[in-house]
């Protein structure tokens, strides 16, 4: 699976599980709603520092964004 | 812990566990030995696509690079 797709899907799923909107994550992190929307559509290639900042905002582990559905 | 440090330490440890030199990883991935050396010293901020390519070369999961020592 493409890593951008995987990270985007995981980020979107975790964000919704936490009950947060893209706008609320923007307010917490400074990453724009447009950036976050593109991320969730698999159009972004975030760095590990970006993953860390997004994970902090959601209260999850950065590694959670890289986990594949089949448990990898 | 700084994400760059964490990823660099994990990459270096896993590379050594696999018995590979930085030069061998360069040959497999195209990332230069200088880049890989900087990565292992925590001086690089790789993207998720880079993590994927490095993970392929080592035969590990990209998420392994983000795991903290205390099991996070």
């Amino acid at each position: 699976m493409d890593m951008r797709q995987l990270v985007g899907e995981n980020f979107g799923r975790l964000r919704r599980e936490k009950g947060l909107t893209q706008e609320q994550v923007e307010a917490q992190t400074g990453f724009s709603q447009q950036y976050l929307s593109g991320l969730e559509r698999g159009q972004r290639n975030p760095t590990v520092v970006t993953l860390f900042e997004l994970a902090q905002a959601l209260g999850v582990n950065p590694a959670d964004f890289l986990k594949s559905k089949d448990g990898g």
Side-chain angles (χ1 to χ4, degrees), chain A residues 11 15 21-39 44-57 65:
Chain A
F11 173 75
R15 177 183 61 74
T21 64
Q22 291 176 347
E23 288 77 7
Q24 288 170 317
V25 177
E26 171 178 338
Q28 276 190 64
T29 63
F31 291 109
S32 71
Q33 184 273 329
Q34 288 91 335
Y35 177 86
L36 298 170
S37 173
L39 181 71
R44 300 287 179 167
N45 183 17
T47 69
V48 296
V49 170
T50 295
L51 293 187
F52 177 77
E53 293 171 0
L54 294 173
Q56 295 263 85
F65 295 135

